[in-house]
Amino acid sequence: MAEYDMQELTLPNEDGKRILYPRMQLYGQKDLEYIADKVSYATSFTRGDIKGLVQAITEEIAHSMSEGYSVKIEGLGVFTPSLGLRKDKERESGEEGAPRRNAASICLRDINFRVDKELLYETAGHCTLQRAQYKKCRRSSQLFAPEERLERAKEFMKKNTFMSVAEYCRLTGLLKTTAANELKAWAAQPDSGINYRGRGTHKLYVLRPANA
């Protein structure tokens, strides 16, 4: 039986308004060795057969995506390659006469996965939930005031140059959503001393130059 607890979420564009949402408690991670052992026990395939087949499928998925295709595996989902710019490359502005990015500036940044509804329904059909015992709703820590969190962030970046949202979470005790929103707010204020580079999940925070 799986367990869940409730985690606090700060809603965007609604100052001060918070809600709680359920999050499954993960007990760990099962690897291909475990899956192959379970499938082998229930079928006539050996563990070696299963692991070899998975490896061959993985390599073919990678090859197909490298040629510009998405890959759909019935009952599992769709894999789609996603591109991005290499580090320190500026995006095209789209304006006439502005520099254009060539192939050397672009790289495969990620692979997006969209789950097949059959897998979702199969998982839901086996899933029985109960609320985790002895766990309070997860809330962002109030150990430090906002100004103290800002100073801790700047001290960290003086020593390490860059700071991720995850590192800010560890520094301050904030949950991920709250930490990301706070960093975004700091970066929007020139006098905070914080700026950022990158976009989306690749965004990193840096100290703003003194003359900026």
Side-chain angles (χ1 to χ4, degrees):
M1 180 177 290
E3 294 185 325
Y4 70 93
D5 66 359
M6 303 302 292
Q7 181 167 325
E8 183 181 275
L9 173 68
T10 302
L11 293 175
N13 303 320
E14 297 188 41
D15 294 342
K17 185 174 181 180
R18 291 178 169 84
I19 60 172
L20 300 177
Y21 68 96
R23 190 185 70 162
M24 184 177 286
Q25 293 291 298
L26 298 180
Y27 305 130
Q29 188 175 75
K30 293 182 177 178
D31 57 14
L32 178 57
E33 193 74 35
Y34 174 89
I35 298 298
D37 188 60
K38 297 288 285 186
V39 174
S40 176
Y41 180 80
T43 68
S44 60
F45 299 109
T46 67
R47 286 195 300 170
D49 291 337
I50 297 164
K51 292 169 67 176
L53 180 59
V54 170
Q55 181 63 37
I57 292 173
T58 301
E59 291 175 0
E60 185 53 41
I61 290 174
H63 182 71
S64 296
M65 287 192 295
S66 73
E67 294 184 326
Y69 293 89
S70 66
V71 178
K72 181 177 181 179
I73 306 296
E74 296 290 344
L76 183 62
V78 179
F79 298 85
T80 306
S82 174
L83 300 179
L85 292 177
R86 296 188 184 278
K87 189 176 180 180
D88 299 327
K89 299 295 183 181
E90 296 293 331
R91 292 184 175 277
E92 287 187 17
S93 66
E95 297 178 1
E96 186 176 353
R100 300 179 64 187
R101 295 272 67 90
N102 58 25
S105 303
I106 300 171
C107 63
L108 182 72
R109 180 56 59 83
D110 205 351
I111 296 173
N112 299 322
F113 175 71
R114 187 175 74 252
V115 66
D116 192 297
K117 289 184 178 179
E118 288 185 19
L119 179 58
L120 180 61
Y121 296 152
E122 179 76 11
T123 304
H126 290 289
C127 186
T128 303
L129 292 167
Q130 68 176 10
R131 189 157 184 160
Q133 300 297 313
Y134 311 114
K135 284 185 177 287
K136 295 181 179 180
C137 298
R138 295 191 63 198
R139 298 178 182 275
S140 290
S141 170
Q142 299 300 318
L143 182 61
F144 303 106
E147 294 75 16
E148 293 176 299
R149 294 196 291 267
L150 177 60
E151 290 307 313
R152 289 174 69 85
K154 291 197 287 189
E155 286 299 318
F156 179 90
M157 287 182 284
K158 285 179 183 178
K159 298 176 182 178
N160 300 277
T161 308
F162 299 102
M163 183 183 68
S164 66
V165 173
E167 287 165 333
Y168 190 61
C169 290
R170 289 192 289 272
L171 280 175
T172 62
L174 296 179
L175 295 179
K176 185 177 179 180
T177 301
T178 305
N181 288 339
E182 184 162 275
L183 283 171
K184 183 179 179 180
W186 289 133
Q189 301 175 27
D191 60 352
S192 71
I194 288 184
N195 205 344
Y196 70 89
R197 295 181 183 175
R199 297 183 64 183
T201 57
H202 303 285
K203 183 179 289 185
L204 292 172
Y205 290 86
V206 298
L207 288 174
R208 190 182 295 270
N211 57 352

